C-alpha cells in the first residue's frame, strides 16, 4: 500500500513494505524513515494529537 501526499511542492510517500515488515516514509529526496508498524502507529497518534493542539490554538485565537 502506498500513500502519496503533496504539500508545498514536497511529496511525502508512505509505504508498507511487506518483504521487510516495515513502514517507510520518504520525506523529500534525501530523508527516509523506517518504522515498525507499532512505531508508525505511535507516530500517527502523536501527529494527530499535535494537530488537535494546533486546532485548539486556532479556535482560541479566533
Amino acid at each position: 500500500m502506498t500513500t502519496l501526499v503533496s504539500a508545498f511542492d514536497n511529496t511525502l510517500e508512505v509505504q508498507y513494505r511487506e518483504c521487510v515488515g516495515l513502514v517507510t516514509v520518504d520525506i523529500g529526496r534525501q530523508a527516509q524513515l523506517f518504522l515498525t508498524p507499532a512505531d508508525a502507529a505511535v507516530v500517527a497518534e502523536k501527529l494527530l494529537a499535535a494537530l488537535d493542539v494546533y486546532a485548539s490554538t486556532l479556535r482560541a485565537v479566533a
Side-chain angles (χ1 to χ4, degrees):
M1 178 175 76
T2 300
T3 303
L4 292 173
V5 178
S6 293
F8 304 110
D9 295 329
N10 293 315
T11 300
L12 179 68
E13 183 175 348
V14 180
Q15 293 183 336
Y16 174 68
R17 301 195 185 246
E18 196 169 346
C19 59
V20 292
L22 294 175
V23 174
T24 60
V25 182
D26 294 328
I27 306 168
R29 294 183 182 170
Q30 298 179 0
Q32 191 173 44
L33 298 174
F34 294 89
L35 303 164
T36 65
D39 289 340
V42 170
V43 168
E45 183 178 307
K46 289 184 179 199
L47 282 170
L48 290 173
L51 289 171
D52 284 341
V53 170
Y54 175 69
S56 296
T57 302
L58 289 178
R59 283 191 292 272
V61 171

